[in-house]
Amino acid sequence: MTASKPAMTFDDLPNVSPDAIDFPRLDKLGLPTEARHAPRILILYGSLRPQSYSRKLALEAERILQRFGAETRVFDPHDLPLLDSVDKQHPKVRELRELSQWSEGQVWVSPERHGAVTGVFKNQIDWLPLEDGSVRPTQGRTLAVMQVCGGSQSFNVVNSLRLLGRWMRMVTIPNQSSVAKAWQEFGDDGRMKPSPFYDRVVDVMEELVKFTLLVRGRSDYLVSRYSERKGDIAARELARQAEATAA
């Protein structure tokens, strides 16, 4: 005979606030009925050059994503001012932030410059706040990272992009793409040539769509944190006490 489990208590966790605890359950991860539309994917790239290979790779990724049934937007970083040089109501800043809020997943593509992401790309991320009032333009969204290299293959940029994605509280997928000698991988028409590099891009976009379908509609629950819920409870209690005192 199997012994019954004792009733769950917090006696052995005296430092935990019971009101702020959430117990994960499968029913909480059910797909919301409103999440039946095409996945919404924003694509950012990191070069202003007329023959930008990060842009060419971004557009190739967009074609693949659309074939997988996603709705896509590609942000053009031209005319985006340097961070803090203008007010956040600048048209390009507003466009970028609104696209990020619209998205359910994102693709970040940057060249490697001096072993790191370009200033053009980093400026776009810097304009996206961790939070803006009650809105968090990146939290809980899926993310795929890719880079283009002028020479031999490197992973400096994709590693940096993963760090940025974690800081922006995004769900970065396991797969990634680094295209070596990018100038060899695209034809005169701007299209990416058949190669193992191309196959890897298809892999990454397929995985991004899958993860986006899994996460969307659930992202608020997935990124909900005990410490923040505990802080919200404390803030509400302080507000209640202030109202009682004022009365």
Side-chain angles (χ1 to χ4, degrees):
M1 183 175 179
T2 303
S4 60
K5 294 182 179 180
M8 186 174 297
T9 69
F10 287 89
D11 293 342
D12 57 343
L13 296 173
N15 296 325
V16 167
S17 173
D19 293 336
I21 280 288
D22 176 81
F23 295 99
R25 297 197 312 262
L26 285 175
D27 61 290
K28 295 180 180 179
L29 293 169
L31 183 63
T33 56
E34 66 272 15
R36 304 292 179 181
H37 55 275
R40 300 192 296 261
I41 307 296
L42 170 63
I43 305 171
L44 307 179
Y45 63 93
S47 172
L48 304 180
R49 295 171 60 239
Q51 291 297 321
S52 167
Y53 291 106
S54 65
R55 181 176 184 274
K56 291 180 180 180
L57 184 56
L59 294 177
E60 200 66 42
E62 181 181 37
R63 296 182 187 101
I64 297 166
L65 286 167
Q66 290 177 347
R67 187 64 185 86
F68 282 135
E71 183 181 358
T72 59
R73 299 286 189 276
V74 179
F75 178 74
D76 181 354
H78 285 85
D79 301 321
L80 178 68
L82 288 175
L83 179 69
D84 295 335
S85 65
V86 297
D87 185 82
K88 65 181 181 180
Q89 295 304 317
H90 186 281
K92 288 296 289 189
V93 176
R94 290 179 58 186
E95 177 189 356
L96 175 60
R97 292 187 174 191
E98 288 169 2
L99 284 174
S100 186
Q101 292 173 20
W102 165 86
S103 71
E104 296 169 317
Q106 297 187 14
V107 179
W108 292 357
V109 189
S110 176
E112 179 171 336
R113 186 157 298 157
H114 303 311
V117 301
T118 62
V120 170
F121 188 88
K122 185 58 164 54
N123 189 48
Q124 295 172 76
I125 303 305
D126 288 343
W127 271 117
L128 295 175
L130 288 176
E131 58 183 289
D132 186 7
S134 62
V135 176
R136 289 177 170 170
T138 55
Q139 176 173 296
R141 287 157 176 80
T142 53
L143 173 64
V145 298
M146 301 195 292
Q147 75 174 85
V148 290
C149 311
S152 58
Q153 191 173 44
S154 166
F155 299 96
N156 290 325
V157 165
V158 287
N159 289 336
S160 296
L161 293 176
R162 285 186 176 278
L163 188 153
L164 283 171
R166 183 173 73 247
W167 193 258
M168 303 302 282
R169 298 178 68 169
M170 302 178 78
V171 181
T172 308
I173 68 171
N175 214 338
Q176 62 188 24
S177 170
S178 173
V179 180
K181 297 181 180 178
W183 50 275
Q184 291 183 340
E185 299 302 321
F186 293 86
D188 294 337
D189 59 356
R191 297 299 305 273
M192 194 171 184
K193 300 174 183 177
S195 71
F197 288 128
Y198 178 80
D199 293 345
R200 186 61 172 264
V201 175
V202 176
D203 287 346
V204 175
M205 295 305 103
E206 178 185 338
E207 188 170 289
L208 176 64
V209 172
K210 290 176 180 176
F211 272 77
T212 304
L213 289 171
L214 284 170
V215 170
R216 70 172 188 176
R218 307 177 176 96
S219 60
D220 288 344
Y221 176 67
L222 289 171
V223 298
S224 175
R225 296 181 176 182
Y226 163 75
S227 58
E228 293 178 349
R229 293 192 301 270
K230 183 179 176 183
D232 290 342
I233 291 172
R236 288 196 297 270
E237 177 60 22
L238 285 174
R240 186 192 66 78
Q241 292 176 8
E243 289 176 1
T245 302

